[in-house]
Amino acid sequence: MIVDHISNRAQYYCLGESVRTALDFFAGVDDSPLEKANVDIGNGVLVKIRPMMTKPEEACSFEAHKEYADIHFLTYGIEQIGYNDVRNLSELSYNPESDMAALKGTGDKITLRPGYFLIALPQDGHMPCIAPGEPAPIGKLIAKYRI
């Protein structure tokens, strides 16, 4: 798992054109309210634009992907994301059509703030959308690309 500020994005261009495309797209997004959409930005990258509400941790669950990586980016609000290596979590189910593994277990939390991104690779179990306090709105973009 990688967490950094979008201003440092050039350091991650070595991870491939898909990563570069996603991070450059994120760098051009402001903190305006978001409309839900899916946008193909090229180089095999789909960005899911999601205005959403954070939730209490007990309402969230761990997930992982086997074929795709996620890059999470916040434009407004604060979100915590649970993290643990998938080897330390139990797989409850896997849907190959959506490339979504539902996982069970506990982990650490990372706080994501506006302008920061998080790259979740297949070994990274992650629990998105955790409220750091009371549930609150966040502006979130999630880039998905095949590994």
Side-chain angles (χ1 to χ4, degrees), residues 20-93:
R20 181 183 191 134
T21 298
L23 295 179
D24 284 348
F25 179 84
F26 293 160
V29 174
D30 62 23
D31 62 355
S32 299
L34 300 176
E35 297 282 332
K36 183 177 178 180
N38 292 334
V39 181
D40 182 341
I41 62 169
N43 283 328
V45 181
L46 175 71
V47 173
K48 295 181 174 187
I49 300 171
R50 299 292 186 264
M52 56 179 63
M53 291 289 289
T54 57
K55 303 179 277 193
E57 184 173 357
E58 54 274 5
C60 301
S61 57
F62 274 103
E63 63 184 56
H65 314 286
K66 298 181 181 186
E67 302 292 327
Y68 286 81
D70 284 352
I71 307 177
H72 298 242
F73 181 74
L74 273 189
T75 61
Y76 58 85
I78 299 174
E79 170 191 32
Q80 289 188 319
I81 298 178
Y83 165 76
N84 204 333
D85 188 296
V86 294
R87 293 173 294 189
N88 299 324
L89 300 166
S90 301
E91 186 172 306
L92 301 173
S93 64

